[in-house]
Amino acid sequence: MWGGRFSEATDAFVAEFTASVQFDQRFYKQDIAGSIAHATMLAKVGVLTEAERDDIIEGLSTIRSEIEAGTFEWRIDLEDVHMNIESRLTQRIGITGKKLHTGRSRNDQVATDIRLYLRDEIDDILKLLERLQKGLLGLAAKNVNTIMPGFTHLQTAQPVTFGHHLLAWFEMLVRDSERLQDCRKRVNRLPLGSAALAGTTYPIDRAYTAELLGFEAVCENSLDAVSDRDFAIEFNAAASLIMMHLSRMSEELILWTSAQFKFVNIPDRFCTGSSIMPQKKNPDVPELIRGKSGRVFGDLISLLTLMKGQPLAYNKDNQEDKEPLFDAIDTVRGSLMAFADMIPALVPNIEIMREAALRGFSTATDLADYLVKKGVAFRDAHEIVGKAVALGVAEEKDLSELTLEQLQQFSDLITADVFDKALTLEASVNARDHIGGTSPKQVEAAIARAHKRLEQLYA
């Protein structure tokens, strides 16, 4: 394709080393769609005849069928997906195939292909996020009244409901969806027409090409358009946050399924056993996702490092943008699919969760609040309850198991109603009756709002 300038063939190793067709062939659909739009635009402005346009479109459509049927021969010596398709087109329709590249460069062609590909992948990932979010809401609705310990520093803090905890996961994923939708806006801009770096002398209609391909706008500067990979970096940053959230959820699931917690059961189909220990049931899906988060973080750093020293405009370095992007896409998609299948199938051990919430003095803050409501300054109430907890530790009893007389030695404002108003798990969670709180009433309301938010988010 550049034989006119060169006096010798490219070294065989160099040809293989510099080729990208091994991995960029995955966006053949986008490459063909972009070429069809380009040919259609060239005919509209009179650069191609309608007959030439029709021959190109028919030839490209046939090539797409060949690729999908597995009969297309991908050639390393043709370097990339673009030249493989263009070469095959010329074989099929003759000299007209060579006219397809009029008014464009591989620089703006690949930039367009990547944006089209990433736009499609974002749409698919958003669908998986929505399915996982709905699965979380369904599980939360079944566990509005299921009480479990809430933790800080992985130490028992206060009682919460399992439904409330699941809604915390939901909030993480909503932010992920919002970020991806916002990222998509910057992905959805057309670089085609920028040619190699300076634009083209042909009377192209970029707005028309953008309309044909569903882009919301055109890239305003040709130098930036062919060299910009911010959109890929931004996607990988959003993907990293998704994986970070899934990793946090995975960590909790791994803890909760252990013999020390036994809070939830993961169905066998999402677990594996041990080759030597017959009793083992390993939470491999959460463990793998926790591990896979690291590779997506690495993909982000790879793209940032790739771009940090590049002068304008396009450089061969940018061939290295695809594999980190593809890997992040594949990893996020697979992880979300696994979670979307697994989460609705989780089975909480309700009694074990409740029993755990009774350990660790989880209602201590409620006792302090009880005293505050009777006129005690909070810091004084904090000290009083701390002394009561010390007694409980010494006697190996929860606050609710201490007698009224034992509690009253720390404050005579404590009366018999303390056991109903402050020291039961139900009283504790019910008392958090405000938006964002863990009371069953508020969790039900939050689930109802969440369904409406999803309708708006994915409208």
Side-chain angles (χ1 to χ4, degrees):
M1 51 187 152
W2 44 69
R5 164 66 176 83
F6 286 72
S7 60
E8 61 180 357
T10 304
D11 181 84
F13 170 75
V14 172
E16 184 172 356
F17 182 73
T18 59
S20 60
V21 68
Q22 307 95 314
F23 48 84
D24 68 16
Q25 62 182 263
R26 74 157 63 190
F27 50 63
Y28 72 89
K29 289 181 182 178
Q30 290 76 22
D31 191 74
I32 290 173
S35 291
I36 288 174
H38 184 63
T40 302
M41 181 275 296
L42 289 178
K44 177 178 181 288
V45 300
V47 174
L48 293 178
T49 67
E50 291 186 0
E52 288 172 331
R53 175 201 63 196
D54 293 344
D55 285 347
I56 288 172
I57 292 174
E58 182 181 358
L60 289 170
S61 298
T62 302
I63 291 169
R64 181 172 54 211
S65 298
E66 289 177 355
I67 294 172
E68 291 171 351
T71 60
F72 186 89
E73 181 187 358
W74 295 101
R75 292 170 48 188
I76 291 283
D77 61 301
L78 291 174
E79 198 170 88
D80 56 33
V81 61
H82 323 295
M83 293 310 302
N84 268 266
I85 290 173
E86 184 179 322
S87 176
R88 178 61 177 145
L89 179 66
T90 302
Q91 285 180 358
R92 289 194 60 85
I93 67 173
I95 193 170
T96 302
K98 295 183 178 182
K99 295 184 178 183
L100 172 60
H101 209 53
T102 305
R104 75 174 180 184
S105 161
R106 284 192 300 168
N107 293 356
D108 61 344
Q109 185 179 359
V110 68
T112 301
D113 287 359
I114 295 175
R115 287 174 182 266
L116 286 170
Y117 179 82
L118 182 54
R119 186 181 71 185
D120 291 343
E121 293 296 330
I122 287 174
D123 291 342
D124 288 344
I125 290 170
L126 284 168
K127 290 174 184 175
L128 287 171
L129 275 167
E130 182 182 14
R131 186 155 72 88
L132 174 53
Q133 289 158 349
K134 288 181 176 178
L136 279 170
L137 294 182
L139 186 60
K142 296 176 184 177
N143 290 279
V144 167
N145 295 294
T146 301
I147 295 178
M148 65 177 290
F151 299 94
T152 61
H153 308 277
L154 206 55
Q155 305 295 313
T156 299
Q158 294 175 321
V160 297
T161 61
F162 186 41
H164 188 61
H165 194 110
L166 293 171
L167 289 181
W169 292 1
F170 173 83
E171 292 295 329
M172 297 178 191
L173 296 175
V174 168
R175 294 194 295 273
D176 291 328
S177 297
E178 291 171 343
R179 267 186 289 269
L180 276 182
Q181 290 185 345
D182 196 51
C183 172
R184 191 187 189 280
K185 297 174 185 176
R186 283 172 288 283
V187 171
N188 204 27
R189 295 172 184 170
L190 176 73
L192 199 62
S194 301
L197 76 161
T200 178
T201 60
Y202 297 96
I204 60 174
D205 187 341
R206 296 186 67 207
Y208 179 63
T209 307
E211 180 183 346
L212 291 174
L213 291 172
F215 283 103
E216 297 173 21
V218 299
C219 297
E220 294 281 346
N221 181 280
S222 61
L223 287 166
D224 179 62
V226 297
S227 61
D228 168 40
R229 294 298 183 269
D230 289 3
F231 62 91
I233 294 171
E234 185 176 356
F235 171 81
N236 274 22
S240 294
L241 282 166
I242 292 172
M243 292 304 298
M244 182 267 286
H245 290 150
L246 294 183
S247 183
R248 293 183 68 188
M249 298 175 202
S250 294
E251 174 69 10
E252 292 189 318
L253 289 172
I254 292 162
L255 286 170
W256 292 351
T257 56
S258 69
Q260 290 70 31
F261 277 78
K262 295 191 288 187
F263 282 5
V264 298
N265 289 319
I266 298 177
D268 290 355
R269 62 185 179 274
F270 299 105
C271 302
T272 65
S274 165
S275 63
I276 188 173
M277 295 171 284
Q279 85 281 9
K280 293 296 295 298
K281 178 180 174 180
N282 300 323
D284 278 12
V285 168
E287 287 178 349
L288 267 176
I289 290 173
R290 184 177 60 181
K292 285 177 180 293
S293 63
R295 66 188 293 161
V296 177
F297 299 169
D299 293 332
L300 171 60
I301 297 301
S302 292
L303 285 181
L304 286 167
T305 306
L306 175 72
M307 296 303 300
K308 73 175 182 63
Q310 287 197 41
L312 290 171
Y314 183 85
N315 300 279
K316 188 67 171 179
D317 311 44
N318 283 353
Q319 182 170 296
E320 292 296 305
D321 63 353
K322 297 169 192 65
E323 290 177 290
L325 178 62
F326 293 164
D327 184 67
I329 289 169
D330 293 345
T331 305
V332 167
R333 189 199 302 113
S335 299
L336 285 171
M337 189 176 297
F339 250 66
D341 290 341
M342 181 181 65
I343 289 297
L346 295 178
V347 179
N349 295 316
I350 295 174
E351 291 306 317
I352 291 176
M353 282 184 169
R354 178 182 174 79
E355 192 275 332
L358 289 169
R359 299 194 302 269
F361 307 98
S362 64
T363 58
T365 304
D366 298 274
L367 180 55
D369 291 340
Y370 170 89
L371 290 168
V372 169
K373 291 171 184 175
K374 292 199 171 189
V376 180
F378 181 80
R379 284 301 169 199
D380 292 335
H382 189 285
E383 182 178 357
I384 290 168
V385 176
K387 293 176 179 178
V389 167
L391 176 61
V393 171
E395 298 203 359
E396 298 184 348
K397 291 181 179 180
D398 183 66
L399 291 174
S400 62
E401 296 174 318
L402 296 175
T403 66
L404 180 60
E405 290 73 20
Q406 286 176 310
L407 292 171
Q408 285 179 329
Q409 65 181 294
F410 305 110
S411 174
D412 56 11
L413 293 175
I414 299 175
T415 56
D417 64 348
V418 71
F419 295 101
D420 294 326
K421 291 184 177 181
L423 298 184
T424 68
L425 298 178
E426 287 73 18
S428 178
V429 295
N430 287 332
R432 273 77 182 170
D433 188 19
H434 55 77
I435 187 168
T438 191
S439 76
K441 175 182 173 183
Q442 290 296 333
V443 172
E444 286 181 343
I447 292 171
R449 290 194 304 273
H451 281 293
K452 292 181 180 178
R453 289 166 66 192
L454 288 186
E455 289 178 7
Q456 295 171 350
L457 188 59
Y458 297 106

